[in-house]
Amino acid sequence: MNMNDTYMPTIIGFLCNWCSYTGADLAGTARMKIPASLRVVRVMCSGRIDPLFVLKGFLKGADGIMMMGCHPGDCHYQKGNYNARRRFVMLQNIFESLGLEKERIGLWWVSASEAPKYAQVTKEFAEKVKELGPNPLREEIFL
Amino acid sequence: MNGQIGVYICECGPNIKDRIDIDKVIEDISSLGDVKTVKRFPLLCSNDGKKFLEEEIKKEDLSHLVVAACSPREHEKTFMDVCEQADFNPYLFQLINIREHCAWMISDKNEATAKAIKYIRAGIRRVALHRPLEKKEIESIPDVLVIGGGVSGLEASLSLAGKDRRVYLVEKTGSLGGMAKKLSQLLPNQGSNLSLIDEKVEQVHNNENILVSTSSTVGDVRGFLGNFEIVIHTDGETSGFRKAQVGAIVVATGFDVFDPEENSQYGYGIDNVFTAQEFEEQIKSGNVLLKSGKPPESVAIIHCVGRKERGYCSKVCCCYSIKFAHYLKDNLSNVNVSELYVDLCLPHKSDQEYFEEAKKKGVHFVRSEEEINVNQKGDQIEVEYHSEGKTDSIVVDMVVLAPAMIPSGDTPELAHLLNIPLDKSGFFKEIHEVLDPISTPIEGIYIAGCATGPKNIPESIVQSQAASGKILSSLIPGEKIVPEVKVSEIREEFCTGCQTCLSVCFYGAIRFDSFKGISVVNEAICRGCGSCVGSCPSGAIRSKHFTYPQLYREILEALR
Ligand SMILES: Cc1cc2nc3c(=O)[nH]c(=O)nc-3n(C[C@H](O)[C@H](O)[C@H](O)COP(=O)(O)OP(=O)(O)OC[C@H]3O[C@@H](n4cnc5c(N)ncnc54)[C@H](O)[C@@H]3O)c2cc1C
Ligand code: SF4
Ligand code: SF4
Ligand code: FES
């Protein structure tokens, strides 16, 4: 597996519009450095993050997938993030039973003011994924 | 598809221009299929920029529009308005955030440019799958249901009726006025005069626009902003039920008080230990007397009863306790009055002076810890308290307990009926305590007064006026309301009728049509969160503007 320094993982981040996306915007406004490998997909609520998106994204070669929503109790639609949490737990189980690396997916609560947290978790996650190396499925699919 | 996609890149002054190689972006994406034109502009959100875009949409006869600029949180609305100006469906447009998420986040210009290209490509691919969405307009009913006839409910009813709205005022007990009507007098800084409350009750009864139902409760509520169907149940002589339609609801069900019997330390049940409400009634009747029929020679007023158990301060008790002390000093000669408090809460501008005056009249203020024990001692009562590590006690003829304000008894049932949340103390929960303290997550349902937590009368009134203002400005007779456009829909042909989605939707927007055996989204209630979509085992639900193909396209482009 290619683990050298030039390897740049591809990470997809699903961000809810009201908290996490706003927090990410703020990180930009504050000129915080965010890994270039992260691609953000905006959804209205973390409850819209269909487990299929995560699975498909992974099967199509994403090296890591981040789910982000408002803190519990703060969801703009009241309970969407609880759905996200349940689905995340389910996804972890699916990953485990299929023998996939469940460290490649994660869920975080990031509020509209938590730009530093956004910068920190994206950086840490990108480093971790880099350590894990490329998604093994990627080669299968692209070869 | 034979699209005619127009892509416009904003320089955003130096913000994007200096950090992203825009020419390179243009070169890269110009070659993409379906892209009709790619242009750059110095500042698209300026008046010149908006005019330029509007002309471009028409001149280039675009099928879809992509703007690569700042965050959709900042200017999505701006550019959607431009689309409308150009007679172009605003849902055929996509804003790509290359400022916050590329230019400002990535220091290396090449990396930032590469990322911007990825995002714009994804946007172009996504927008090609956009379909025009149409706004719907629905009739709204300007009438209002007010639940609870305390000062808050009275004020809301009068404000709304003053603007010719029909108001259904529903009060659980046999009369209007709530707690305020039971008080002996208001605080001196409030003019003391309780006839103000009586006047409000009078005005409500005499107002033709207000239909008062006492001894009544709300039995059923269905619907959404502008179109609620309600049922009012009335007990007693005029028992029965009445159906009505309203556009909005104000919940003003006030509070109850902590029951001091819950904790034996307060000695409630011992002769001559009274609650504040009982004491208010005594003052009102003009007879503050002991069980023996004699006036008390010494009184201890205990603040913060239940504060520890409930975990919050009730805000009004210190002031009315001082009111009691003044009353006693002014009306009973040689009476000894002690106030035992944990913390003094004197929030309003004249409260401090009122407190100083009480001290001048000889009222003893004793700071105590929450651990207070009230016990019978002969004909008298012993109050044991702890202060600065020492235990002390006083013996008095009478004790008055100032109990915490707690949520009114039916709050949980009403919350369930209206589908609105409660906070951790059991009061109705505001959307935002600071920024939106009278709204609930359900559009058209407002909360005011002590229903959301302890408040004094002026604070309760202000909230009712605010709720009335919101209603008067959002439900205008003859004006239609436009619900959210990006809602979810269930495709009949895929739905198996399993009803999984019903339990996922917080807003109760999905209903089961038992005749057809499928579930249906009420688009007027749906807020478009998309939570239901992932729950459907048949993939029958489509979240408009965030459809599976649209988002999947974005994901695939991200992975290229
Ligand atoms: C002892 C005491 C002294 C006080 N003294 C002062 C003072 O001097 N100055 C001051 O500013 N404030 C004072 N307050 C606070 C004041 O009482 C409140 O601010 C005020 O009553 C709040 O009005 P409200 O309408 O929100 O609630 P409430 O007065 O509690 O009115 C709520 C009404 O809703 C009705 N209701 C409840 N549930 C339902 C239901 N499910 N359906 C229909 N109706 C329902 C109730 O029967 C009641 O009539 C005092 C409070 C106490 C306890
Ligand atoms: S979850 Fe899907 S299949 Fe089941 S009732 Fe809802 S829309 Fe129909
Ligand atoms: S999108 Fe959200 S609000 Fe609309 S029906 Fe689905 S769960 Fe309910
Ligand atoms: S809106 Fe942020 S998680 Fe629901």
Side-chain angles (χ1 to χ4, degrees), chain A residues 22 25 38-40 48 87, chain B residues 71 73 115 119 531 546 558:
Chain A
T22 313
D25 276 354
L38 173 68
R39 306 279 141 68
V40 168
R48 177 68 186 100
R87 289 169 189 162
Chain B
S71 170
R73 306 273 306 148
K115 187 163 172 178
Y119 274 153
S531 274
F546 285 87

Side-chain angles (χ1 to χ4, degrees), chain B residues 510-536:
Chain B
I510 309 178
R511 177 180 62 79
F512 183 65
D513 178 339
S514 48
F515 182 70
K516 284 189 174 169
I518 54 162
S519 296
V520 188
V521 175
N522 184 336
E523 296 200 349
I525 305 180
C526 172
R527 302 281 275 267
C529 67
S531 274
C532 54
V533 184
S535 76
C536 175

Side-chain angles (χ1 to χ4, degrees), chain B residues 490 495-501 519 536-538 540-541:
Chain B
I490 292 175
C495 173
T496 60
C498 71
Q499 302 183 45
T500 312
C501 51
S519 296
C536 175
S538 323
I541 311 180

Side-chain angles (χ1 to χ4, degrees), chain B residues 322 326 344 346 350-363 365:
Chain B
I322 297 173
H326 275 283
L344 267 187
L346 303 170
S350 40
D351 295 344
Q352 181 72 27
E353 197 183 331
Y354 195 41
F355 161 68
E356 303 289 351
E357 278 168 20
K359 278 209 291 199
K360 268 191 222 142
K361 287 182 187 171
V363 177
F365 284 86

